[in-house]
Amino acid sequence: MAIRADTIGNKISIDDIMDFIPNDHPCFLVEKIVERIDFSEWEDAHWDTPGNPSYHPRVLLRGVVQGYIDGVKSGRELGRRVKTDLPYMYLCGIDGPDFRTFNRFYKEFADVIVLTLVEVNRFAQNIGMLKIGSLALDSTTVKAHASSFNVASEKKIRAILETVYEIILKNDEDDELLGDDSGYEVPIDLNNDEEFEKYYREVIDYAKSKLDDEKLKFPARKQLKNAIKNPEKVVKNLEISLDNLNKSGQSTVNLTDNESL
């Protein structure tokens, strides 16, 4: 069997970031919808004012909507994706907003965010997308039962409101817990091989002490092998064993004899 070359560390030259994003990626739908949101009132209030330039709300809204589609649950995660994920770089710029900027945007523009997400859901439903974010879009049911559309829409709107509210709460909790840290930094110098090796050896020793081959007893190894051949049967046996264990009050169970307890 041929093995592909490991290309990690190779230099990548990007002339146009769009060359690396599939043409049917949802980020282009996000771009077109957000482009039509009217921010003229904000622009009039902030045009040619002193201080450091602010990100346009449209830039932040694009990131938030794409985050909704991808199931992103916090401003910190959005800030990370803007630095690492090409669709987010495309929508928010290479030097895009940090997590604190996203956190403020969630609070200051919550109404705009909810309205836009409702529009995105409706638009995606109309063009036949089956799923967006955490909400399933059952366009067949809507077409067959027109009266159910308002109910479905109300449920979606409530779900969107709850999602935005939960993200705002999560952002506040992260701020209290992490302060100025994003939560994604590696707290050691990865270029220091000696320091890395020290921590790595500690991890290896710990893993060996917990996952020594002798500790993985024969019945467990047998279950793992059987799971490949007949996963349904193994799952059923494990469920029976778990039920027996709960009833027995013991800390272990015999995996080869479900009636042993």
Side-chain angles (χ1 to χ4, degrees):
M1 178 182 68
I3 300 177
R4 289 179 179 270
D6 187 350
T7 60
I8 191 170
N10 288 5
K11 291 185 177 180
I12 300 176
S13 176
I14 299 179
D15 294 323
D16 187 348
I17 198 170
M18 291 177 65
D19 292 340
F20 292 83
I21 304 175
N23 293 332
D24 59 353
H25 194 281
C27 71
F28 300 116
L29 171 63
V30 172
E31 177 189 14
K32 286 186 174 296
I33 290 178
V34 173
E35 193 63 34
R36 286 160 174 76
I37 304 296
D38 182 11
F39 286 105
S40 58
E41 186 175 337
W42 182 92
E43 291 168 346
D44 291 341
H46 290 80
W47 184 258
D48 200 24
T49 55
N52 294 326
S54 300
Y55 286 100
H56 195 288
R58 192 171 283 115
V59 173
L60 295 152
L61 185 59
R62 288 196 291 256
V64 167
V65 174
Q66 184 62 50
Y68 171 80
I69 292 173
D70 293 334
V72 173
K73 298 297 186 181
S74 75
R76 277 175 166 75
E77 172 66 6
L78 270 182
R80 183 189 70 82
R81 294 206 180 203
V82 167
K83 305 300 181 187
T84 61
D85 293 18
L86 292 179
Y88 289 85
M89 292 180 186
Y90 172 73
L91 293 172
C92 301
I94 298 297
D95 57 345
D98 61 15
F99 71 87
R100 288 208 173 280
T101 306
F102 278 117
N103 287 359
R104 287 194 299 271
F105 182 75
Y106 270 111
K107 289 184 176 180
E108 295 174 6
F109 288 85
D111 55 340
V112 177
I113 292 172
V114 171
L115 176 62
T116 306
L117 293 181
V118 170
E119 291 181 3
V120 168
N121 272 272
R122 179 66 179 270
F123 191 95
Q125 188 178 55
N126 287 349
I127 64 176
M129 291 180 69
L130 298 179
K131 198 171 187 297
I132 187 169
S134 58
L135 302 178
L137 303 176
D138 190 353
S139 57
T140 303
T141 301
V142 171
K143 289 177 181 177
H145 306 284
S147 61
S148 70
F149 181 77
N150 289 335
V151 176
S153 295
E154 289 174 7
K155 288 182 179 179
K156 288 184 177 67
I157 292 172
R158 281 199 299 271
I160 290 170
L161 283 167
E162 290 173 3
T163 297
V164 173
Y165 180 65
E166 288 172 1
I167 290 175
I168 291 173
L169 290 180
K170 179 69 164 57
N171 291 340
D172 288 342
E173 292 173 0
D174 287 345
D175 284 345
E176 185 174 348
L177 177 66
L178 300 170
D180 291 332
D181 294 335
S182 72
Y184 295 99
E185 303 94 341
V186 178
I188 65 171
D189 181 4
L190 293 178
N191 292 318
N192 186 331
D193 291 339
E194 184 177 344
E195 183 181 13
F196 177 83
E197 190 64 26
K198 170 191 170 186
Y199 284 103
Y200 182 70
R201 290 313 313 172
E202 290 177 357
V203 170
I204 291 298
D205 292 342
Y206 176 82
K208 284 184 176 179
S209 70
K210 298 296 182 183
L211 299 175
D212 191 287
D213 187 58
E214 292 185 2
K215 293 182 181 293
L216 188 59
K217 301 299 183 183
F218 174 76
R221 292 202 301 271
K222 185 178 179 181
Q223 291 282 7
L224 291 174
K225 291 180 180 179
N226 289 341
I228 298 175
K229 300 177 182 178
N230 194 340
E232 293 83 4
K233 181 179 179 181
V234 171
V235 169
K236 183 177 180 180
N237 286 338
L238 288 174
E239 288 175 345
I240 295 173
S241 297
L242 180 60
D243 184 56
N244 289 337
L245 182 64
N246 291 333
K247 291 178 180 177
S248 71
Q250 298 181 29
S251 59
T252 60
V253 64
N254 189 336
L255 294 176
T256 60
D257 182 8
N258 287 323
E259 301 301 323
S260 63
L261 297 174

